[in-house]
Structures are given as structure tokens and as C-alpha cells.
Amino acid sequence: MKFLRIYLRVLELLGPEAKLGWILALAGVGLAAANFVEPILFGRIVDTLANAQGGARQLDWGALFPLVAAWVGFGLFIIVAGTIVSLHADRLAHRHCQAVRADYFGHILQLPLSYHSGTHSGRLMKVMITGTNTLWGMWLSFFRDHFTSFVSLFILMPLTLFLNWRYALLLMALCGVFAILIAFVLRRTEKLQSSVETYYTDQAERTSDTLGNIALIQSFARIDMEVSAMRKVGRELLSAQMPVLWWWALATVLTKASTTITMLTILILGIYFYVHGQTTVGEIVMFMSFATMLIGKLEHVVHFANHMVMEGPRLQEFFDVLDTAPAVRDRPDAVDPGQVRGLVEFADVSFSYDGKRSAVQDLSFTALPGETIAMVGATGAGKSTALALLHRVYDPQSGSVKIDGMDIRGLTLSGLRKNIGVVFQEALLFNRSIADNLRVGKPDATEAELLDACRRAQALEILERNPQGLEASAGERGRMLSGGERQRISIARALLKNPPILILDEATSALDALTEAKVQAALDEVMKGRTTFVIAHRLATIRNATRILVFEGGRIIETGSFDELVRRGGHFAELAKTQFMVSDGERPRTDDAPTPVET
């Protein structure tokens, strides 16, 4: 039943191609009927010839010619129709395989970061490739073989009772015994193959993980150890796969043996019935042909069952990913806000990852358009979670986050995120040209706009020293560029996007002093006129922030400007002292007017 459900799900995925699918299915019924009629005609031809054998009776050409013509006609129909069905089935399978692969790709891109954090990218890629390739094979074999085999076995074969019930019962009995044996093999191999698939997934994950950290592998001289580990997974995979292969080798032997047994049984009984005048030579030949056809159909069924056992776990993995519903999605009545001004309000916002311990609790603050809000605190204090709630990586369990007075849960995800730019601590670049990476922020950007963004992001020197300029490849994950260069390209990308709200997530923490100065100058440029949220551990980078929010245990424990917080001598002042921003007894600057505090 599990395999049947998976198989029906495979066919359901043909939805957009259902019309062509029905046409091919009906053509398959016609082919099955033609295959069924052909042995009957052949048997009648043999009887007509046998009746005139030895000159005992004159050959009835009037009866023979139509039989031969019909037999040839059905044979030609089977050849031509079979070719046409195979061609269109192949086109359908290839075309829809690519469509489903694109749908799957789009689906996983919509899944939240929380899902991708817990799921290896190598697994998702393996599931996409193996799953869609398996779907292609299933669709192709369904229209070419499986459907006609099922029709022949379960619909047309019982009709042989009207031709000769003795032979028909024999064929059905042999078919029933064979089905029981195959069902037994299926039960023995189903769980075994499921465990095998976990090893294939391990191989994909390990391969992706190792190649993604090739610098680490080589610098720590781990090549031999990684290869040994891969060989170990391969040995474990083979150890789990061999019992499955043994059982299906047994099924193949049973299939071959059943062919000989069935043909021999029909021949022996046919001779017995012929001697007693209960059958004709034509009927013996007819049912010998039926038996040959039956064995061929049974072999298709065995192939189908074997395929389902081997590929079922891969399809189940594919459907599991496809059925994963995004935790954050557009509401039916969600609206696109267009370009917002940048007023951000958190009102009593609380969120927990596990439902036990709050990541943030009762957050309330307001950021006016154009303000720079810095967030400081220990790792795990809730800073990143708060900003993740802002661009809806998650939705709060209580409270609300608003932009320009609109609850962000009522906005479309694409409309919301078009208004928010993010510069991550680790610059994320594609293995594409620098121009392509920049156009992520603005797909229709002109070359002049790209160059202007690079100039404002202090990144022109990167282009000037590379002969290919904007067309130079950034390499996988930007490895053709240095850390500072990657960060400046990501800042230029944010400038091109030109969002009214900007998030800077520790954008300079991994840089040397000289590079940090260049990047900080680029950040100053990108922050102009935008509502900016800065997560910072280096307090020197937020000296000029409009307001600083100090996080601890998911709550805001202090808020104010840099000088106000130092003057109070609280938690922030202690952090400033540890980073030598102020010394004991030092008075903060007072030349700037204090910034109003809002909590």
C-alpha cells in the first residue's frame, strides 16, 4: 500500500500534462487490446491450416486471407502505435521532469532559514537530482510498459476464460503463485532499501561538506582521512545493499523459471486435451502465445516492483521535502507595501525557538526613518533574533512588528524584503561574475550604476586591477576575492538595492584595521538616509549611532546614546571599559545633545 500511494503521487504530479497523459493511457489500452487479439488470430490461422493438412480438406482461402490480413494489420498497428506512444511519453517525461525540478528548486528557496540551518545543502541537492530523475523514469515506464501490463493482466487476461476456461484457469493460477512470491520479496526488501538510501544521503552530504571546506581539508592534511571515511561509507552502503540485490536476483530466477514451467505445463496439458478431443492445435498455439505474453507482462511487473523498492525511499525523501510547509508564508490577503519610509516599531514582541526558553521577550522600541539603531550584547542575547523577526525569517509568538504602521505579517514577503537590505558578517557571493553578484540587488542595473555603486562602496580598485573588470568571476562563495573585497562588493550590492531599511550584521568584525577602515567608509555611505540596524561587538563602530539598545537574556536592559550609556555606568559602560573605549573616571563627551530615549 505504501508503494501504491507513492506511485499514485508520482502520477498526480503530471497534473499540467494530464490531458496528454490520458491520451497516452487510452493508447496504451488500445495496444494492450491489440496484443490480446494477436494470439487469437494466430491460433485461428493455425487451426485453418491444420484442418487442411495432408489434403484431407481443401484449404479455405476465404477464411484464411481475412485472418492473415487482420493479424498483419494488428502487428503493424502495435509497431506504429507503440512507437508513437513511446515518443510522446519520452517527450512528456523529459519536459515535465524539468518543470518539477524547477518547482522543487523554487520550493526549497522559499523554505525559511531555520529549515536550511538544520538541513544539509548536499542532501537537498541529492534529493532534487535523484528524485526528479526517478520521476522521469516512472512516467516513461508507466506509459511505455506498466499501464499496458496492468491492463493485460487484470482486465484482458480474465477474458481468456471465454476462449478456453481450462487454459485460462491454469494461467491465472500460475500468475497468482508468482504474485505471492513477488509480494514476499517486496516485504523482505522494503525496509532494507530504506536503510540503504540513508547511506546515499550520507555520501552526498559528506561530499558537499568536504568540497565546501577544501581549504580546511588541505591545510590540516586530512585528504587521506576524508577519503578513508568515504570508503567506509561506501562499504557500509554495499553491506546494506547486497541483501536487497540477493532477494531481487531470486525474483529474477523465479521469473525465468516460471516461463519454462508455464510453457511446459500448457504443452503437456494441451497434448492431453488434444488426445481427448477437448482442444485444437490452434488453441494450444494460442495459449502458448498468451503464456509468452503473460510472462512478458509479469516481467514488467517485477521490474516495476523492483524499481519501486529501489527508488521508493528516494521518492519518499523528495515528497517529504516537497510537503514541508514554510513556517512563514504570505497571508491570502497580504499586500505589497511598495516603497516604505522606514518607520520600524516593535511592540511587546516575544519569540522562542523551542517553546521553552525565550530568545527575545517583550521587546518594545521604535526606529524613526533615517535613524541608526545599534544592538549590543553577548552572543545569544537576542540581537540577531530581533532582526530576523524584522525581515520575517520567523514570526513572533506574541506582539507585533510594524513598518510605517503596517504589521509586517500583512505584507507579502517579497514586498517586505525588497525594502530591507542586509549586509552579513560573512559576505555571501555566487560563483558568478562580479556584475551578476551586484545585480542581485538590482537586476536591471546599468553598467554605469554598477560602477557608481562600486565607487561609493570603495570597491573600484577591485575592478581596476582585474583585466576582466565587472565580468571577473567571484569564484565559489567569493573565494577569488579577499574578505574585505567580498564585503565591499556586498555593500555595493546593498547600495544598488537602495532599501529604506538596512541591517548590518557584524559587517566588519573579521577584517584587519586597514580593510575595516575602507569598509567602514563604505558603510557610512550606504547608511545615509536609511533606517539602519547595526549588530556590533566592536563598540568603536557604533560611536555615532542615534541610539544603542543593550540586550541581555532576550530583553533590552539599557537604551540611549553612547555617551548617555557610559555616563550611567551600567552594563554598557562596563563593555566600553573592556574594549578601552573609556577609562575609569573618564567623563563622556557632552558636545552632542542627548538623544531622546524610547523603550
Side-chain angles (χ1 to χ4, degrees), residues 97-328:
C97 173
Q98 296 304 321
V100 170
R101 183 172 292 176
D103 290 342
Y104 172 94
F105 186 64
H107 173 73
I108 60 175
L109 291 181
Q110 291 176 8
L111 293 176
L113 292 177
S114 56
Y115 177 85
H116 289 279
S117 298
T119 307
H120 200 286
S121 59
R123 175 180 179 269
L124 292 176
M125 184 173 65
K126 174 255 183 187
V127 169
M128 179 178 74
I129 294 172
T130 60
T132 51
N133 285 344
T134 301
L135 287 171
W136 168 81
M138 287 287 186
W139 291 327
L140 191 61
S141 58
F142 174 80
F143 292 114
R144 281 186 174 181
D145 302 316
H146 295 164
F147 188 67
T148 55
S149 297
F150 293 145
V151 170
S152 298
L153 288 173
F154 299 110
I155 298 177
L156 299 180
M157 194 56 64
L159 296 179
T160 58
L161 287 167
F162 298 99
L163 299 173
N164 188 308
W165 63 270
R166 297 178 181 88
Y167 293 128
L169 289 177
L170 175 63
L171 286 176
M172 290 185 209
L174 291 172
C175 183
V177 172
F178 186 78
I180 292 171
L181 292 174
I182 294 302
F184 175 74
V185 173
L186 278 173
R187 289 181 62 86
R188 298 295 302 227
T189 55
E190 178 183 351
K191 290 184 178 179
L192 291 173
Q193 186 61 35
S194 294
S195 65
V196 170
E197 198 56 34
T198 61
Y199 291 110
Y200 281 111
T201 300
D202 288 344
Q203 277 189 332
E205 290 183 357
R206 180 172 286 275
T207 301
S208 176
D209 203 34
T210 303
L211 293 177
N213 293 282
I214 190 66
L216 176 68
I217 299 298
Q218 293 181 351
S219 63
F220 280 80
R222 282 192 56 88
I223 294 176
D224 290 340
M225 285 178 279
E226 292 297 327
V227 172
S228 296
M230 183 63 77
R231 293 186 192 279
K232 180 175 180 292
V233 173
R235 288 193 297 269
E236 291 171 345
L237 188 154
L238 289 175
S239 178
Q241 185 74 81
M242 288 306 176
V244 179
L245 299 180
W246 187 91
W247 279 108
W248 283 106
L250 176 62
T252 302
V253 172
L254 291 173
T255 305
K256 300 299 182 184
S258 66
T259 304
T260 303
I261 293 171
T262 302
M263 301 292 284
L264 184 60
T265 303
I266 289 177
L267 180 61
I268 293 173
L269 288 177
I271 294 172
Y272 175 81
F273 293 147
Y274 182 77
V275 170
H276 290 80
Q278 296 174 329
T279 191
T280 64
V281 174
E283 284 187 335
I284 295 175
V285 172
M286 182 194 307
F287 275 88
M288 291 284 281
S289 299
F290 274 133
T292 302
M293 183 180 72
L294 172 65
I295 296 303
K297 302 306 181 184
L298 286 175
E299 287 179 345
H300 287 159
V301 172
V302 170
H303 174 73
F304 163 72
N306 183 18
H307 203 54
M308 286 304 300
V309 168
M310 302 296 284
E311 306 293 352
R314 295 178 180 177
L315 288 171
Q316 188 62 59
E317 273 192 319
F318 181 84
F319 289 132
D320 286 344
V321 175
L322 208 58
D323 292 338
T324 301
V328 176

Side-chain angles (χ1 to χ4, degrees), residues 346 361-366 375-376 381 386 548-560 598-599:
F346 276 63
Q361 188 171 357
D362 299 327
L363 290 187
S364 294
F365 64 88
T366 298
M375 297 179 171
V376 301
I548 299 171
L549 308 180
V550 183
F551 280 73
E552 184 177 329
R555 295 175 178 272
I556 298 175
I557 59 171
E558 294 178 358
T559 180
E598 182 175 349
T599 59

Side-chain angles (χ1 to χ4, degrees), residues 555-576:
R555 295 175 178 272
I556 298 175
I557 59 171
E558 294 178 358
T559 180
S561 67
F562 188 96
D563 291 337
E564 288 173 340
L565 292 174
V566 170
R567 188 185 306 116
R568 292 177 192 170
H571 185 79
F572 182 83
E574 291 299 320
L575 289 175

Side-chain angles (χ1 to χ4, degrees), residues 291-453:
T292 302
M293 183 180 72
L294 172 65
I295 296 303
K297 302 306 181 184
L298 286 175
E299 287 179 345
H300 287 159
V301 172
V302 170
H303 174 73
F304 163 72
N306 183 18
H307 203 54
M308 286 304 300
V309 168
M310 302 296 284
E311 306 293 352
R314 295 178 180 177
L315 288 171
Q316 188 62 59
E317 273 192 319
F318 181 84
F319 289 132
D320 286 344
V321 175
L322 208 58
D323 292 338
T324 301
V328 176
R329 64 179 75 184
D330 288 340
R331 290 178 176 177
D333 58 346
V335 297
D336 188 332
Q339 183 85 355
V340 302
R341 292 186 303 115
L343 172 64
V344 177
E345 301 170 273
F346 276 63
D348 299 318
V349 172
S350 296
F351 175 79
S352 172
Y353 291 101
D354 56 12
K356 298 177 182 178
R357 187 177 66 87
S358 294
V360 293
Q361 188 171 357
D362 299 327
L363 290 187
S364 294
F365 64 88
T366 298
L368 300 176
E371 285 191 330
T372 298
I373 307 298
M375 297 179 171
V376 301
T379 300
K383 310 179 299 295
S384 295
T385 301
L387 295 184
L389 294 171
L390 175 59
H391 59 102
R392 290 197 71 193
V393 176
Y394 314 99
D395 279 334
Q397 274 108 25
S398 64
S400 64
V401 181
K402 296 181 179 180
I403 294 180
D404 289 359
M406 299 176 287
D407 191 318
I408 62 174
R409 287 171 291 196
L411 309 179
T412 61
L413 285 169
S414 60
L416 169 68
R417 291 170 180 170
K418 284 177 182 177
N419 283 284
I420 301 175
V422 184
V423 179
F424 299 96
Q425 179 177 1
E426 177 187 0
L428 305 176
L429 299 180
F430 293 110
N431 184 22
R432 303 170 191 172
S433 69
I434 292 176
D436 287 339
N437 275 285
L438 291 172
R439 286 194 174 101
V440 170
K442 186 180 181 183
D444 59 348
T446 64
E447 182 174 337
E449 289 175 317
L450 298 181
L451 293 173
D452 181 63

